[in-house]
Amino acid sequence: MISLRHLTKTYGRGDASVTVLDRLDFEVPTGRIAAVVGPSGAGKSTLAQCINLLERPTSGSVVVNGEDLSGLPEKRLRDARRRIGTVFQSSSLLSRRTAAENIALPLDFLGVTPQETRSRVGELLERVGLTDKAGHYPFQLSGGQAQRVGIARALALRPSILLADEATSGLDPDTTRSVVGLVRELRDDLDLTVVFITHEMDTVRQVADTVARLDHGRIVEQGSLVDLLTSHGSRLGRSLQPRRGHAGPEAGTRTWFVTYDSTTVPGDWIQRVTADLGASVHLLGASVETVHGVNTGSATLGIGTEDDARVVAALARCGLSGTPDHSAATFGQTDERILAGALEDAA
Amino acid sequence: MSAVVLPRADVPLGDLPALLLPAYGETVTMVGIVMAVVLVIGTPLGVLLHNVAPGGLYERPALHTVLSWIISIGRSLPFLILMAAIVPFTRFVTGTNIGIAAAVVPMSLAGIAFFTRIVENALRSVPPSIIQVARAAGGSNLQIMRSAQFGEAVPAVIGGLTIQVIAMIEYSAIAGTIGAGGIGYVAVTYGYQRFDNTVMLATIVILVVTVALVQVAGDRLVRFATPQKRLQRA
């Protein structure tokens, strides 16, 4: 378990000082994966550096398994860092060391005997599925393989906490999926507590048990991933939904934005809503996926009735929440959305 | 020093080896001694300079500014001027102001300033994220400097070392003008002062070949020290 209590980090002094983390409280129970998201400049990287103790907080504490690590003297801080494994962005391997030598780095620093190092590195390589790449240099590894080496290196000293600092940024979607899968698998096998700092919402939906939003140096919103995805009063929940473009509405229909608002939305909800309303329902766009066994998603519909109250009620009966699109500039907006969606897909 | 003007009498070709070989030996000795001194003092100084700079492992901005200025002053003087300016110091250290011993002192000073910058520059090219990785892996500052900073910068340092050796060969030739011996001395006394074109040409050829060989050797070492270049020979 890791908890951050009243964590404050201020750079500079006096008038020129900047408070990056502001009395931040955050806790991740043992065996859970907590994603921390936030816009750039929110303090994500400073938070990461305080968690792995590369930076000492100005005040507040980092408590791992009941022990306050942030207040330790410099000499002991180095030992404390060994209890937290950090996975950095993919390019952070030492270029003149092989995969095996990169994984051995923390063991070398600790002064482990060569035999022990060899067997531990072998174990780790097997765990991340790279036994055949032991002697490869970073330039010979793909982005995903390099990141697996980074994960193995972070786990070399058997930490109880794993910190992933933008660990999947810059990886393609398939590679991200496999790296994320590995993190979840390792969490299950080793009972790791994982703090996953990222700005990629797609990755968050794949990896996280809980999600916290960091803004202006504080955790402003947090909750379990499923709760957030199925309750749309939450700004964090909305930002977790994939945003896609949708087709334009047909004449005589009104555009509705619909989101899964419960964990029990029936699979045939479109049919049910159509029957309920006795009006045509066009599917203009949708994104549905299963997160931790629960169907979540959102859809854009064109509905051939003007009676908004009836539509809201019909949707609610299926566990959905809907808002009509009243804006006069619907078409312009729609075109932009489609374009944005197309660009996103192309990328 | 006013040279006695002799009637033109070029050294016969057959006598060239007897003249040039000992001189070449002196050049190699001078450069060798200087390089040893430069490596022993310049390397730690470069590492220190890099790590007391803002963002380094032992940030000491004031110390960095002072060190940096001293080195810049050392680097800004043309070697000929530096050599003349520190004659009293050279005499204090070596007891003489001519010959190999006397040349080694200003060459070492200039060389240390040069190499310190080369090491600093090489270390600076290591991405900060690599240093963070090493710190997070529980490395002590010494371990980080060895594995992450120096370990990653080895090819750049070797490349710099090549430049350094060539610069020192050049300095040794300049030092020849104050009677330091070596190829430079021969070039000045025979080639320049006696208009002996044969000797002049011979010294030029020797210097060009030497510099080219040093460069080739340096390039090979850099290639060997860089996994990507070593393994992607195809």
Side-chain angles (χ1 to χ4, degrees), chain A residues 232-299:
Chain A
H232 295 89
S234 135
R235 180 170 159 195
L236 178 53
R238 278 197 303 277
S239 66
L240 282 168
Q241 293 285 356
R243 264 168 296 169
R244 301 205 189 288
H246 57 81
E250 282 178 29
T253 66
R254 169 169 292 170
T255 305
W256 283 75
F257 300 118
V258 174
T259 47
Y260 283 47
D261 200 26
S262 74
T263 54
T264 54
V265 177
D268 59 347
W269 62 267
I270 294 184
Q271 270 175 312
R272 291 184 189 218
V273 171
T274 311
D276 203 345
L277 289 172
S280 60
V281 174
H282 302 252
L283 185 60
L284 304 177
S287 165
V288 179
E289 66 187 318
T290 304
V291 173
H292 303 326
V294 173
N295 289 337
T296 67
S298 60

Side-chain angles (χ1 to χ4, degrees), chain A residues 49 52-55 74 78 81-82 84 86 88 91-97 105-111 135 137 139-140 153 157, chain B residues 129-130 132-141 143-144 146-148 150-155 224-232:
Chain A
Q49 296 199 322
N52 63 18
L53 306 167
L54 291 183
E55 288 275 2
E74 194 58 40
R78 195 148 74 79
R81 281 185 197 129
R82 299 190 159 123
I84 297 157
T86 308
F88 291 86
S91 53
S92 304
L93 298 182
L94 275 65
S95 66
R96 297 185 60 245
R97 286 177 162 238
L105 189 71
L107 301 160
D108 289 352
F109 286 167
L110 188 61
Y137 285 93
F139 81 91
Q140 296 166 308
R153 181 174 62 192
L157 301 176
Chain B
S129 63
I130 294 290
Q132 299 288 15
V133 165
R135 288 183 67 212
S140 67
N141 282 346
Q143 287 172 326
I144 294 169
R146 188 168 47 81
S147 310
F150 223 80
E152 286 293 286
V154 161
F224 181 74
T226 314
Q228 186 158 6
K229 290 184 179 153
R230 181 180 46 191
L231 300 170
Q232 278 184 339

Side-chain angles (χ1 to χ4, degrees), chain A residues 33 47 75 278:
Chain A
I33 300 179
L47 177 64
K75 179 77 186 67

Side-chain angles (χ1 to χ4, degrees), chain B residues 49-226:
Chain B
L49 187 66
H50 176 68
N51 281 300
V52 295
L57 292 170
Y58 306 92
E59 266 180 63
R60 300 277 187 285
L63 178 60
H64 179 257
T65 309
V66 172
L67 264 180
S68 188
W69 267 100
I70 293 174
I71 290 160
S72 291
I73 290 168
R75 296 263 299 116
S76 61
L77 292 181
F79 182 63
L80 197 61
I81 311 285
L82 176 83
M83 203 163 57
I86 65 160
V87 162
F89 176 71
T90 305
R91 197 177 298 162
F92 170 74
V93 174
T94 62
T96 174
N97 54 353
I98 54 161
I100 290 184
V104 162
V105 175
M107 279 174 73
S108 296
L109 279 180
I112 288 167
F114 194 94
F115 195 59
T116 301
R117 284 290 184 218
I118 283 177
V119 170
E120 183 199 25
N121 206 42
L123 297 187
R124 199 157 39 198
S125 68
V126 176
S129 63
I130 294 290
I131 310 305
Q132 299 288 15
V133 165
R135 288 183 67 212
S140 67
N141 282 346
L142 219 60
Q143 287 172 326
I144 294 169
M145 285 191 260
R146 188 168 47 81
S147 310
Q149 288 185 345
F150 223 80
E152 286 293 286
V154 161
V157 170
I158 295 175
L161 209 55
T162 312
I163 298 174
Q164 173 88 28
V165 172
I166 291 169
M168 291 306 108
I169 292 171
E170 189 197 325
Y171 283 12
S172 81
I174 299 175
T177 58
I178 60 156
I183 291 288
Y185 179 73
V186 172
V188 169
T189 49
Y190 288 78
Y192 178 65
Q193 289 169 352
R194 290 197 203 166
F195 306 104
D196 185 334
N197 290 334
T198 317
V199 174
M200 195 55 144
L201 258 174
T203 55
I204 288 171
V205 169
I206 286 173
L207 285 175
V208 167
V209 170
T210 305
V211 167
L213 284 178
V214 168
Q215 189 62 50
V216 167
D219 288 348
R220 287 220 168 170
L221 277 173
V222 170
R223 173 176 280 271
F224 181 74
T226 314

Side-chain angles (χ1 to χ4, degrees), chain A residues 49-99:
Chain A
Q49 296 199 322
C50 284
I51 291 177
N52 63 18
L53 306 167
L54 291 183
E55 288 275 2
R56 203 189 277 276
T58 310
S59 66
S61 50
V62 176
V63 181
V64 170
N65 299 330
E67 195 188 341
D68 182 356
L69 300 182
S70 48
L72 294 173
E74 194 58 40
K75 179 77 186 67
R76 306 242 343 257
L77 204 57
R78 195 148 74 79
D79 297 326
R81 281 185 197 129
R82 299 190 159 123
R83 299 172 52 180
I84 297 157
T86 308
V87 187
F88 291 86
Q89 230 175 313
S90 53
S91 53
S92 304
L93 298 182
L94 275 65
S95 66
R96 297 185 60 245
R97 286 177 162 238
T98 61

